[in-house]
Amino acid sequence: MALAWGRAHRLSHDEHYPRYRDTAFASDGLNGPVTFFGRGRSYGDVALNDGGTVVRTERLDRMIDADWDTGVIRAEAGMSIDQLLRISVPRGWFVPVTPGTKFVSLAGAVANDVHGKNHHAVGSFGAHVLSLELQRSDGQVLTLSAAENSDLFALTISGLGLTGFIAAVELQLVPISSPMMTVENLPMANLEAFFALSSESADWPYSVAWVDCFAKGADLGRGIFTRARHSRKATALVSHNSDARLTWPMDAPGWLLNRSTISAFNTAYRARPGARFRGAQHYAPFFYPLDGINHWNRMYGRRGFYQHQCIVPAEGAEPAIRALLGTIADAGQGSFLAVLKQHRAETSPGRNSFCMDGTSLALDFANKGETTRALLAELDRIALSHEGRMYPAKDGVMSAQTYQRCYPNWGELEAARDPALNSAFWQRVTETIPA
Amino acid sequence: MTEKRSFTLLVLGGTSAIALGYVRARVDDLASESREIKLILMGRSAERLEVEAQHFAALGVETETKVADLSGDVDLPDDWHIDEAFLAYGQLTDQDRAQGENDYLSAQLSVNFDSAAAWLETLARRFERQGHGQCIVVGSVAGDRGRQSNYAYGAAKAGLAVFVQGMQHRFAGASDIRFLLVKPGFVDTPMTDHIEGKGGPLWATPDQVGQHILKAVKRGKLQLYTPWFWAIIMWIIRSVPSFVLHKTKL
């Protein structure tokens, strides 16, 4: 049974581990529906299905082509950003966009059109993809790019892996002269301060804010604002060590993460010396603080957790975020991983990409059953009422109605979907809504 | 003025997951020492070897593939200078079939032992001529004791273990010629995909095994159980009296 990161969806299916990409989608003989699965860092059920086959691409982790003068690489579906960085950093290149964990496959990054702390500067992952190799269940092997099969290219980016097997990804890397980041952490008194700091930091390529989700009233939105850039001082190009130092050994008991413990953490986290750190930090702990703990998701216990991530348009963003944070603080269910970020208009060609010119808020919620799902539905409602939308890669419960309102181009993706492919997420959100 | 000569790594069984895990670790390691590397992958399938070779070529490693039936006659071109050889080819014998068909049994023993022995002698002569050489041989914990579930495979690997031991004795005086016998336990590769319920704390990935082997090579070790706890597991299995083992289905 493949598990996504939230571990809240337990579905049963066959698992297939192809060794070579030309036999990965031999869909005859595979119990349908088929869903492709990279490293399982999506939170909900975009990469899962019930009763079919999950094709796991982790053995398809080879480089196909690389030009270390231009920074253009082409790699197999299952190569992770972790593996890519260990190869590219010593050669002076970095990924143009990275999410909060490096353990995502390149195909997964394309399928979800992931974004990073630099979205306001460079857009999502899809904006940096030069071409894709797509395999369909009828045997076709297609090259997709802005120039060739461009409609299918745009649908495949942010296409949740449904248009076919994304067998290879061609990506433009960005040059670096150092593995270090120049980082500044600034105290953020409240939500107003977040917006002020964000606009002041517009010329910093990376920026993000951690928020204490239990702060209320005048302190709503209190937290730490972080901004960074790649250090321009040329130093030895040392990549990271993939092995985590620590492992969260087992499922924690369900009561571990509750209002008191999280509040206590938040207070301590804001007060710690690192909260005001300014200086040089290696890219690994800057981008991937949680990757240092293997299986940190077990901290949420056997019932797992849900993440809620939504984005609201720039106009009206402040009242929207205020409403969301207020609801969360009142409900008392929250987590210490609360992240606010400013985005700019999306430059990726993805037809169903999540990002827009606006502000996103991401939070984890321990799965406490019905109360959690009710809170998530309420947050969905608030986001929708402010013309916002939720992120499929994080979602575990979005209704069809909500999804279809957030992603008006979903019908195009459904039309382009390979008939052999489907996912539990897609089945849920494409249910026909009674008129 | 000494220039660091290029380092040639020969892989017998160029599509072996364990071999490739080692090669990745080795290539990373040599690159950090700024050594030029030449990689030769030998195996049965030209297509599959090409796919593996492409990965290393993209990393700037001079890579060559050579199609050969490793279970047949040994063909090691005379002009090849081999710094390191990794012997990783073999087949996981179907025990039931081996018990039923003599031809199959014989062919399996030939692939897993006879041909490997021939390769080892050929490499030993090449190393002697060169004055140096490192060979890594993939054995198996299955060779530690004959057990009813896999003794056809185990016997070949046991034979290989003794063969390597003998070579280690032969070359004990020559510090630059070394043979390392690796005994992996459960490794997550296509070879073990048919095993029910694989996965869990006893299982290692090819990358982990590759890193572990590299450390052992650098330390000049003679034998390696990987992961380390298999040394303990196999010590127990070897020490258990026969009447106890015979009661199990192991």
mmCIF file of all heavy atoms in Angstrom, chain A residues 9-49:
data_model
loop_
_atom_site.group_PDB
_atom_site.id
_atom_site.type_symbol
_atom_site.label_atom_id
_atom_site.label_comp_id
_atom_site.label_asym_id
_atom_site.label_seq_id
_atom_site.Cartn_x
_atom_site.Cartn_y
_atom_site.Cartn_z
ATOM 1 N N HIS A 9 -4.805 8.722 3.915
ATOM 2 C CA HIS A 9 -5.521 7.925 2.924
ATOM 3 C C HIS A 9 -4.903 6.543 2.863
ATOM 4 O O HIS A 9 -3.742 6.400 2.489
ATOM 5 C CB HIS A 9 -5.413 8.555 1.526
ATOM 6 C CG HIS A 9 -6.139 9.848 1.429
ATOM 7 N ND1 HIS A 9 -5.576 11.041 1.772
ATOM 8 C CD2 HIS A 9 -7.407 10.117 1.044
ATOM 9 C CE1 HIS A 9 -6.464 12.011 1.600
ATOM 10 N NE2 HIS A 9 -7.571 11.484 1.157
ATOM 11 N N ARG A 10 -5.681 5.561 3.245
ATOM 12 C CA ARG A 10 -5.170 4.188 3.197
ATOM 13 C C ARG A 10 -6.009 3.417 2.202
ATOM 14 O O ARG A 10 -7.101 2.978 2.492
ATOM 15 C CB ARG A 10 -5.207 3.576 4.591
ATOM 16 C CG ARG A 10 -4.229 4.392 5.414
ATOM 17 C CD ARG A 10 -4.003 3.989 6.803
ATOM 18 N NE ARG A 10 -3.018 4.948 7.337
ATOM 19 C CZ ARG A 10 -1.871 4.619 7.948
ATOM 20 N NH1 ARG A 10 -1.568 3.361 8.112
ATOM 21 N NH2 ARG A 10 -1.062 5.547 8.388
ATOM 22 N N LEU A 11 -5.455 3.306 0.993
ATOM 23 C CA LEU A 11 -6.188 2.661 -0.090
ATOM 24 C C LEU A 11 -5.420 1.416 -0.505
ATOM 25 O O LEU A 11 -4.203 1.352 -0.324
ATOM 26 C CB LEU A 11 -6.284 3.626 -1.279
ATOM 27 C CG LEU A 11 -6.898 4.986 -0.946
ATOM 28 C CD1 LEU A 11 -6.731 5.959 -2.109
ATOM 29 C CD2 LEU A 11 -8.371 4.839 -0.630
ATOM 30 N N SER A 12 -6.115 0.457 -1.066
ATOM 31 C CA SER A 12 -5.352 -0.724 -1.474
ATOM 32 C C SER A 12 -5.277 -0.834 -2.982
ATOM 33 O O SER A 12 -6.230 -0.528 -3.698
ATOM 34 C CB SER A 12 -5.932 -1.985 -0.842
ATOM 35 O OG SER A 12 -7.194 -2.227 -1.385
ATOM 36 N N HIS A 13 -4.133 -1.229 -3.470
ATOM 37 C CA HIS A 13 -3.861 -1.278 -4.900
ATOM 38 C C HIS A 13 -2.605 -2.119 -5.096
ATOM 39 O O HIS A 13 -1.865 -2.385 -4.164
ATOM 40 C CB HIS A 13 -3.600 0.136 -5.442
ATOM 41 C CG HIS A 13 -2.824 0.964 -4.469
ATOM 42 N ND1 HIS A 13 -3.363 2.041 -3.802
ATOM 43 C CD2 HIS A 13 -1.551 0.855 -4.024
ATOM 44 C CE1 HIS A 13 -2.458 2.546 -2.984
ATOM 45 N NE2 HIS A 13 -1.350 1.859 -3.097
ATOM 46 N N ASP A 14 -2.392 -2.529 -6.351
ATOM 47 C CA ASP A 14 -1.146 -3.222 -6.682
ATOM 48 C C ASP A 14 -0.049 -2.179 -6.831
ATOM 49 O O ASP A 14 -0.323 -1.028 -7.154
ATOM 50 C CB ASP A 14 -1.292 -3.955 -8.028
ATOM 51 C CG ASP A 14 -2.332 -5.064 -7.957
ATOM 52 O OD1 ASP A 14 -2.573 -5.571 -6.847
ATOM 53 O OD2 ASP A 14 -2.906 -5.393 -9.019
ATOM 54 N N GLU A 15 1.184 -2.603 -6.631
ATOM 55 C CA GLU A 15 2.297 -1.683 -6.855
ATOM 56 C C GLU A 15 3.257 -2.272 -7.883
ATOM 57 O O GLU A 15 3.550 -3.453 -7.864
ATOM 58 C CB GLU A 15 3.045 -1.418 -5.536
ATOM 59 C CG GLU A 15 2.268 -0.517 -4.611
ATOM 60 C CD GLU A 15 2.982 -0.263 -3.305
ATOM 61 O OE1 GLU A 15 3.967 0.496 -3.304
ATOM 62 O OE2 GLU A 15 2.562 -0.840 -2.288
ATOM 63 N N HIS A 16 3.690 -1.442 -8.779
ATOM 64 C CA HIS A 16 4.559 -1.881 -9.865
ATOM 65 C C HIS A 16 5.790 -0.978 -9.847
ATOM 66 O O HIS A 16 5.652 0.239 -9.761
ATOM 67 C CB HIS A 16 3.755 -1.729 -11.174
ATOM 68 C CG HIS A 16 4.509 -2.055 -12.423
ATOM 69 N ND1 HIS A 16 5.255 -3.194 -12.586
ATOM 70 C CD2 HIS A 16 4.601 -1.382 -13.597
ATOM 71 C CE1 HIS A 16 5.777 -3.198 -13.803
ATOM 72 N NE2 HIS A 16 5.405 -2.120 -14.430
ATOM 73 N N TYR A 17 6.979 -1.589 -9.908
ATOM 74 C CA TYR A 17 8.211 -0.798 -9.846
ATOM 75 C C TYR A 17 9.013 -0.981 -11.125
ATOM 76 O O TYR A 17 9.959 -1.777 -11.155
ATOM 77 C CB TYR A 17 9.089 -1.299 -8.692
ATOM 78 C CG TYR A 17 8.651 -0.898 -7.316
ATOM 79 C CD1 TYR A 17 7.670 -1.608 -6.632
ATOM 80 C CD2 TYR A 17 9.254 0.183 -6.676
ATOM 81 C CE1 TYR A 17 7.300 -1.233 -5.349
ATOM 82 C CE2 TYR A 17 8.886 0.545 -5.393
ATOM 83 C CZ TYR A 17 7.915 -0.164 -4.732
ATOM 84 O OH TYR A 17 7.551 0.189 -3.470
ATOM 85 N N PRO A 18 8.687 -0.297 -12.189
ATOM 86 C CA PRO A 18 9.448 -0.490 -13.429
ATOM 87 C C PRO A 18 10.905 -0.070 -13.269
ATOM 88 O O PRO A 18 11.224 0.870 -12.538
ATOM 89 C CB PRO A 18 8.723 0.426 -14.428
ATOM 90 C CG PRO A 18 8.011 1.418 -13.602
ATOM 91 C CD PRO A 18 7.662 0.740 -12.309
ATOM 92 N N ARG A 19 11.743 -0.780 -13.952
ATOM 93 C CA ARG A 19 13.173 -0.495 -13.900
ATOM 94 C C ARG A 19 13.610 0.369 -15.082
ATOM 95 O O ARG A 19 14.627 1.040 -15.039
ATOM 96 C CB ARG A 19 13.876 -1.849 -13.957
ATOM 97 C CG ARG A 19 15.358 -1.799 -13.884
ATOM 98 C CD ARG A 19 15.856 -2.150 -12.488
ATOM 99 N NE ARG A 19 17.305 -2.255 -12.521
ATOM 100 C CZ ARG A 19 18.122 -1.198 -12.375
ATOM 101 N NH1 ARG A 19 17.635 -0.021 -12.154
ATOM 102 N NH2 ARG A 19 19.439 -1.353 -12.451
ATOM 103 N N TYR A 20 12.864 0.282 -16.160
ATOM 104 C CA TYR A 20 13.212 1.016 -17.383
ATOM 105 C C TYR A 20 11.997 1.772 -17.872
ATOM 106 O O TYR A 20 10.891 1.257 -17.840
ATOM 107 C CB TYR A 20 13.709 0.045 -18.462
ATOM 108 C CG TYR A 20 14.989 -0.636 -18.055
ATOM 109 C CD1 TYR A 20 14.977 -1.899 -17.499
ATOM 110 C CD2 TYR A 20 16.210 0.021 -18.194
ATOM 111 C CE1 TYR A 20 16.160 -2.505 -17.090
ATOM 112 C CE2 TYR A 20 17.397 -0.576 -17.794
ATOM 113 C CZ TYR A 20 17.358 -1.832 -17.240
ATOM 114 O OH TYR A 20 18.523 -2.425 -16.829
ATOM 115 N N ARG A 21 12.225 2.986 -18.349
ATOM 116 C CA ARG A 21 11.058 3.798 -18.686
ATOM 117 C C ARG A 21 10.304 3.323 -19.911
ATOM 118 O O ARG A 21 9.143 3.653 -20.078
ATOM 119 C CB ARG A 21 11.419 5.285 -18.800
ATOM 120 C CG ARG A 21 12.234 5.694 -19.996
ATOM 121 C CD ARG A 21 12.603 7.174 -19.853
ATOM 122 N NE ARG A 21 13.083 7.754 -21.081
ATOM 123 C CZ ARG A 21 14.335 7.680 -21.508
ATOM 124 N NH1 ARG A 21 15.240 7.038 -20.795
ATOM 125 N NH2 ARG A 21 14.687 8.241 -22.654
ATOM 126 N N ASP A 22 10.938 2.498 -20.757
ATOM 127 C CA ASP A 22 10.169 2.041 -21.922
ATOM 128 C C ASP A 22 9.188 0.919 -21.580
ATOM 129 O O ASP A 22 8.324 0.592 -22.378
ATOM 130 C CB ASP A 22 11.093 1.636 -23.075
ATOM 131 C CG ASP A 22 12.034 0.512 -22.691
ATOM 132 O OD1 ASP A 22 12.103 0.163 -21.503
ATOM 133 O OD2 ASP A 22 12.709 -0.011 -23.586
ATOM 134 N N THR A 23 9.319 0.351 -20.389
ATOM 135 C CA THR A 23 8.325 -0.666 -20.006
ATOM 136 C C THR A 23 7.488 -0.212 -18.821
ATOM 137 O O THR A 23 6.747 -0.977 -18.243
ATOM 138 C CB THR A 23 8.998 -2.000 -19.612
ATOM 139 O OG1 THR A 23 9.961 -1.711 -18.593
ATOM 140 C CG2 THR A 23 9.652 -2.668 -20.793
ATOM 141 N N ALA A 24 7.608 1.054 -18.482
ATOM 142 C CA ALA A 24 6.890 1.519 -17.291
ATOM 143 C C ALA A 24 5.392 1.531 -17.501
ATOM 144 O O ALA A 24 4.619 1.285 -16.591
ATOM 145 C CB ALA A 24 7.368 2.916 -16.920
ATOM 146 N N PHE A 25 4.969 1.805 -18.713
ATOM 147 C CA PHE A 25 3.550 1.964 -18.954
ATOM 148 C C PHE A 25 3.028 0.844 -19.842
ATOM 149 O O PHE A 25 2.231 1.075 -20.742
ATOM 150 C CB PHE A 25 3.285 3.328 -19.594
ATOM 151 C CG PHE A 25 1.870 3.800 -19.416
ATOM 152 C CD1 PHE A 25 0.950 3.097 -18.658
ATOM 153 C CD2 PHE A 25 1.452 4.972 -20.024
ATOM 154 C CE1 PHE A 25 -0.346 3.537 -18.493
ATOM 155 C CE2 PHE A 25 0.155 5.432 -19.865
ATOM 156 C CZ PHE A 25 -0.740 4.715 -19.109
ATOM 157 N N ALA A 26 3.542 -0.367 -19.585
ATOM 158 C CA ALA A 26 2.987 -1.501 -20.304
ATOM 159 C C ALA A 26 1.655 -1.747 -19.631
ATOM 160 O O ALA A 26 1.536 -2.548 -18.714
ATOM 161 C CB ALA A 26 3.898 -2.703 -20.145
ATOM 162 N N SER A 27 0.630 -0.983 -20.035
ATOM 163 C CA SER A 27 -0.586 -0.986 -19.228
ATOM 164 C C SER A 27 -1.420 -2.244 -19.389
ATOM 165 O O SER A 27 -2.293 -2.503 -18.582
ATOM 166 C CB SER A 27 -1.421 0.253 -19.517
ATOM 167 O OG SER A 27 -1.887 0.192 -20.839
ATOM 168 N N ASP A 28 -1.122 -3.034 -20.408
ATOM 169 C CA ASP A 28 -1.839 -4.320 -20.453
ATOM 170 C C ASP A 28 -1.207 -5.189 -19.376
ATOM 171 O O ASP A 28 0.001 -5.270 -19.246
ATOM 172 C CB ASP A 28 -1.712 -4.981 -21.837
ATOM 173 C CG ASP A 28 -0.332 -4.827 -22.421
ATOM 174 O OD1 ASP A 28 0.063 -3.683 -22.760
ATOM 175 O OD2 ASP A 28 0.369 -5.844 -22.561
ATOM 176 N N GLY A 29 -2.033 -5.815 -18.622
ATOM 177 C CA GLY A 29 -1.492 -6.607 -17.529
ATOM 178 C C GLY A 29 -1.496 -5.839 -16.222
ATOM 179 O O GLY A 29 -1.336 -6.413 -15.158
ATOM 180 N N LEU A 30 -1.679 -4.523 -16.288
ATOM 181 C CA LEU A 30 -1.779 -3.768 -15.049
ATOM 182 C C LEU A 30 -3.255 -3.576 -14.731
ATOM 183 O O LEU A 30 -4.014 -3.122 -15.571
ATOM 184 C CB LEU A 30 -1.109 -2.397 -15.175
ATOM 185 C CG LEU A 30 0.409 -2.348 -15.302
ATOM 186 C CD1 LEU A 30 0.860 -0.901 -15.400
ATOM 187 C CD2 LEU A 30 1.084 -3.018 -14.120
ATOM 188 N N ASN A 31 -3.596 -3.898 -13.505
ATOM 189 C CA ASN A 31 -4.941 -3.682 -13.016
ATOM 190 C C ASN A 31 -5.271 -2.196 -13.051
ATOM 191 O O ASN A 31 -4.536 -1.400 -12.482
ATOM 192 C CB ASN A 31 -4.913 -4.108 -11.538
ATOM 193 C CG ASN A 31 -6.124 -4.864 -11.171
ATOM 194 O OD1 ASN A 31 -7.081 -4.930 -11.924
ATOM 195 N ND2 ASN A 31 -6.069 -5.436 -9.990
ATOM 196 N N GLY A 32 -6.358 -1.807 -13.715
ATOM 197 C CA GLY A 32 -6.676 -0.389 -13.793
ATOM 198 C C GLY A 32 -7.515 0.077 -12.634
ATOM 199 O O GLY A 32 -8.093 -0.732 -11.931
ATOM 200 N N PRO A 33 -7.668 1.366 -12.367
ATOM 201 C CA PRO A 33 -6.944 2.430 -13.059
ATOM 202 C C PRO A 33 -5.492 2.501 -12.595
ATOM 203 O O PRO A 33 -5.133 1.986 -11.551
ATOM 204 C CB PRO A 33 -7.695 3.696 -12.632
ATOM 205 C CG PRO A 33 -8.249 3.386 -11.295
ATOM 206 C CD PRO A 33 -8.546 1.901 -11.295
ATOM 207 N N VAL A 34 -4.650 3.145 -13.387
ATOM 208 C CA VAL A 34 -3.235 3.261 -13.071
ATOM 209 C C VAL A 34 -2.945 4.679 -12.622
ATOM 210 O O VAL A 34 -3.485 5.645 -13.184
ATOM 211 C CB VAL A 34 -2.396 2.927 -14.328
ATOM 212 C CG1 VAL A 34 -0.926 3.241 -14.105
ATOM 213 C CG2 VAL A 34 -2.580 1.464 -14.710
ATOM 214 N N THR A 35 -2.113 4.808 -11.600
ATOM 215 C CA THR A 35 -1.689 6.132 -11.143
ATOM 216 C C THR A 35 -0.181 6.088 -10.982
ATOM 217 O O THR A 35 0.344 5.136 -10.406
ATOM 218 C CB THR A 35 -2.310 6.467 -9.770
ATOM 219 O OG1 THR A 35 -3.697 6.149 -9.784
ATOM 220 C CG2 THR A 35 -2.134 7.931 -9.440
ATOM 221 N N PHE A 36 0.507 7.120 -11.477
ATOM 222 C CA PHE A 36 1.950 7.166 -11.299
ATOM 223 C C PHE A 36 2.292 7.860 -9.985
ATOM 224 O O PHE A 36 1.627 8.828 -9.587
ATOM 225 C CB PHE A 36 2.611 7.865 -12.494
ATOM 226 C CG PHE A 36 2.673 6.979 -13.694
ATOM 227 C CD1 PHE A 36 1.643 6.983 -14.635
ATOM 228 C CD2 PHE A 36 3.729 6.093 -13.871
ATOM 229 C CE1 PHE A 36 1.670 6.120 -15.727
ATOM 230 C CE2 PHE A 36 3.763 5.231 -14.961
ATOM 231 C CZ PHE A 36 2.739 5.250 -15.892
ATOM 232 N N PHE A 37 3.311 7.334 -9.321
ATOM 233 C CA PHE A 37 3.659 7.778 -7.968
ATOM 234 C C PHE A 37 5.157 7.982 -7.915
ATOM 235 O O PHE A 37 5.917 7.077 -8.248
ATOM 236 C CB PHE A 37 3.217 6.662 -7.015
ATOM 237 C CG PHE A 37 3.418 6.908 -5.551
ATOM 238 C CD1 PHE A 37 2.332 7.221 -4.733
ATOM 239 C CD2 PHE A 37 4.668 6.773 -4.966
ATOM 240 C CE1 PHE A 37 2.500 7.405 -3.368
ATOM 241 C CE2 PHE A 37 4.844 6.958 -3.607
ATOM 242 C CZ PHE A 37 3.756 7.274 -2.802
ATOM 243 N N GLY A 38 5.578 9.183 -7.510
ATOM 244 C CA GLY A 38 7.007 9.469 -7.430
ATOM 245 C C GLY A 38 7.542 9.121 -6.054
ATOM 246 O O GLY A 38 7.730 7.967 -5.709
ATOM 247 N N ARG A 39 7.772 10.162 -5.240
ATOM 248 C CA ARG A 39 8.348 9.916 -3.921
ATOM 249 C C ARG A 39 7.310 10.041 -2.806
ATOM 250 O O ARG A 39 7.671 10.015 -1.635
ATOM 251 C CB ARG A 39 9.497 10.897 -3.636
ATOM 252 C CG ARG A 39 10.612 10.834 -4.643
ATOM 253 C CD ARG A 39 11.301 9.494 -4.657
ATOM 254 N NE ARG A 39 12.203 9.340 -5.771
ATOM 255 C CZ ARG A 39 13.490 9.001 -5.660
ATOM 256 N NH1 ARG A 39 14.014 8.792 -4.485
ATOM 257 N NH2 ARG A 39 14.235 8.893 -6.734
ATOM 258 N N GLY A 40 6.048 10.231 -3.182
ATOM 259 C CA GLY A 40 5.019 10.253 -2.145
ATOM 260 C C GLY A 40 5.068 11.445 -1.224
ATOM 261 O O GLY A 40 4.755 11.327 -0.042
ATOM 262 N N ARG A 41 5.435 12.615 -1.748
ATOM 263 C CA ARG A 41 5.418 13.800 -0.894
ATOM 264 C C ARG A 41 4.190 14.662 -1.094
ATOM 265 O O ARG A 41 4.048 15.681 -0.416
ATOM 266 C CB ARG A 41 6.675 14.640 -1.105
ATOM 267 C CG ARG A 41 7.692 14.396 -0.020
ATOM 268 C CD ARG A 41 8.230 12.997 -0.009
ATOM 269 N NE ARG A 41 9.215 12.821 1.038
ATOM 270 C CZ ARG A 41 9.984 11.749 1.173
ATOM 271 N NH1 ARG A 41 9.877 10.760 0.326
ATOM 272 N NH2 ARG A 41 10.858 11.677 2.160
ATOM 273 N N SER A 42 3.315 14.258 -2.002
ATOM 274 C CA SER A 42 2.038 14.959 -2.035
ATOM 275 C C SER A 42 1.300 14.474 -0.785
ATOM 276 O O SER A 42 1.569 13.393 -0.285
ATOM 277 C CB SER A 42 1.258 14.644 -3.313
ATOM 278 O OG SER A 42 1.102 13.248 -3.477
ATOM 279 N N TYR A 43 0.393 15.300 -0.289
ATOM 280 C CA TYR A 43 -0.174 14.986 1.015
ATOM 281 C C TYR A 43 -1.408 14.107 0.954
ATOM 282 O O TYR A 43 -1.661 13.325 1.859
ATOM 283 C CB TYR A 43 -0.543 16.279 1.745
ATOM 284 C CG TYR A 43 0.638 17.017 2.307
ATOM 285 C CD1 TYR A 43 1.556 17.635 1.477
ATOM 286 C CD2 TYR A 43 0.842 17.087 3.674
ATOM 287 C CE1 TYR A 43 2.643 18.310 1.996
ATOM 288 C CE2 TYR A 43 1.925 17.767 4.211
ATOM 289 C CZ TYR A 43 2.824 18.376 3.365
ATOM 290 O OH TYR A 43 3.894 19.049 3.883
ATOM 291 N N GLY A 44 -2.168 14.289 -0.094
ATOM 292 C CA GLY A 44 -3.462 13.622 -0.153
ATOM 293 C C GLY A 44 -3.466 12.488 -1.153
ATOM 294 O O GLY A 44 -2.574 11.641 -1.162
ATOM 295 N N ASP A 45 -4.456 12.499 -2.040
ATOM 296 C CA ASP A 45 -4.623 11.333 -2.896
ATOM 297 C C ASP A 45 -4.458 11.618 -4.381
ATOM 298 O O ASP A 45 -5.049 10.923 -5.208
ATOM 299 C CB ASP A 45 -5.982 10.681 -2.607
ATOM 300 C CG ASP A 45 -7.132 11.675 -2.665
ATOM 301 O OD1 ASP A 45 -6.882 12.890 -2.816
ATOM 302 O OD2 ASP A 45 -8.285 11.234 -2.546
ATOM 303 N N VAL A 46 -3.622 12.616 -4.732
ATOM 304 C CA VAL A 46 -3.400 12.860 -6.166
ATOM 305 C C VAL A 46 -2.603 11.739 -6.815
ATOM 306 O O VAL A 46 -2.645 11.553 -8.029
ATOM 307 C CB VAL A 46 -2.680 14.206 -6.468
ATOM 308 C CG1 VAL A 46 -3.620 15.362 -6.279
ATOM 309 C CG2 VAL A 46 -1.422 14.372 -5.661
ATOM 310 N N ALA A 47 -1.831 11.009 -6.018
ATOM 311 C CA ALA A 47 -0.995 9.952 -6.605
ATOM 312 C C ALA A 47 -1.441 8.567 -6.154
ATOM 313 O O ALA A 47 -0.674 7.611 -6.212
ATOM 314 C CB ALA A 47 0.459 10.179 -6.218
ATOM 315 N N LEU A 48 -2.674 8.472 -5.706
ATOM 316 C CA LEU A 48 -3.160 7.184 -5.208
ATOM 317 C C LEU A 48 -4.441 6.792 -5.911
ATOM 318 O O LEU A 48 -5.148 7.644 -6.447
ATOM 319 C CB LEU A 48 -3.465 7.283 -3.700
ATOM 320 C CG LEU A 48 -2.305 7.621 -2.778
ATOM 321 C CD1 LEU A 48 -2.823 7.823 -1.361
ATOM 322 C CD2 LEU A 48 -1.257 6.514 -2.797
ATOM 323 N N ASN A 49 -4.778 5.518 -5.857
ATOM 324 C CA ASN A 49 -6.097 5.100 -6.310
ATOM 325 C C ASN A 49 -6.531 3.900 -5.487
ATOM 326 O O ASN A 49 -5.728 3.338 -4.736
ATOM 327 C CB ASN A 49 -6.123 4.780 -7.815
ATOM 328 C CG ASN A 49 -5.318 3.542 -8.157
ATOM 329 O OD1 ASN A 49 -5.550 2.457 -7.623
ATOM 330 N ND2 ASN A 49 -4.371 3.695 -9.051
#
